[in-house]
Amino acid sequence: MTEAELKRKLAAIEAMVLGAMTEGERAAAQHVLENFKQKTPDETCQDLGFTVHDVWARKLFMAMLRKAGLEPFRMRGQRRTTIMVHGRKSLVELIWKEFLEANRTLTEYLSEVTDRVIRESLGEVQEDEARERPALTRGSSKS
């Protein structure tokens, strides 16, 4: 998958989640999203936390939050894998759902690129994982 194909797929995922296929639907979806972001009496804003271990996934999730007008943060002392956001739970959950699909696509793309670079630079690699050996028992020496 090329970078352009990845961008098209991510845009399609966003359009699908928002239910927008035509220009008119996109404008309507944008209007709904803007209304969705506004505070209503039945749903107040709250702090929501997420743990995202992969650096690329964190960048993607934070970019998606910012695009929706939300500002990701973390509290002093929290790990870098923690992403906090203050917003309406329903909006943040919608963004999280969109993120999960986009992250799967990004992970597939990065895996393909990594495999191709390794193959072109080092030749075919026989196995993806290191072989497992039995654990040493107490009193045995390393050999």
Side-chain angles (χ1 to χ4, degrees):
M1 177 182 303
T2 67
E3 188 173 332
E5 290 170 334
L6 174 65
K7 288 177 182 177
R8 277 194 300 276
K9 188 164 185 174
L10 291 174
I13 291 166
E14 180 180 9
M16 181 180 67
V17 170
L18 295 176
M21 297 301 167
T22 67
E23 190 60 42
E25 288 174 333
R26 276 191 288 277
Q30 185 63 35
H31 178 71
V32 169
L33 185 60
E34 291 303 317
N35 288 339
F36 202 60
K37 287 189 236 179
Q38 294 176 2
K39 200 184 241 186
T40 59
D42 62 330
E43 187 179 12
T44 59
C45 290
Q46 56 185 295
D47 285 346
L48 300 161
F50 300 87
T51 301
V52 183
H53 293 283
D54 180 68
V55 65
W56 307 114
R58 273 196 314 278
K59 287 180 179 191
L60 176 62
F61 186 47
M62 289 192 294
M64 293 173 82
L65 288 169
R66 287 183 178 117
K67 182 177 182 185
L70 300 170
E71 186 58 36
F73 66 95
R74 64 185 164 90
M75 304 299 288
R76 183 177 308 255
Q78 286 183 319
R79 297 176 186 266
R80 292 194 178 277
T81 57
T82 300
I83 299 172
M84 300 291 295
V85 62
H86 183 79
R88 296 184 56 206
K89 186 175 181 180
S90 56
L91 172 61
V92 175
E93 285 177 347
L94 177 68
I95 295 167
W96 179 254
K97 181 180 176 183
E98 184 179 348
F99 158 74
L100 291 174
E101 181 63 28
N103 189 49
R104 269 192 291 279
T105 302
L106 181 62
T107 300
E108 288 172 11
Y109 174 72
L110 293 174
S111 180
E112 288 173 15
V113 169
T114 302
D115 289 346
R116 181 175 42 81
V117 168
I118 290 171
R119 190 174 48 255
E120 290 173 1
S121 301
L122 304 173
E124 287 296 323
V125 177
Q126 297 296 321
E127 297 179 33
D128 286 347
E129 297 292 327
R131 282 180 275 148
E132 188 174 305
R133 291 186 176 175
L136 296 174
T137 58
R138 188 179 289 203
S140 65
S141 62
K142 297 179 187 177
S143 325

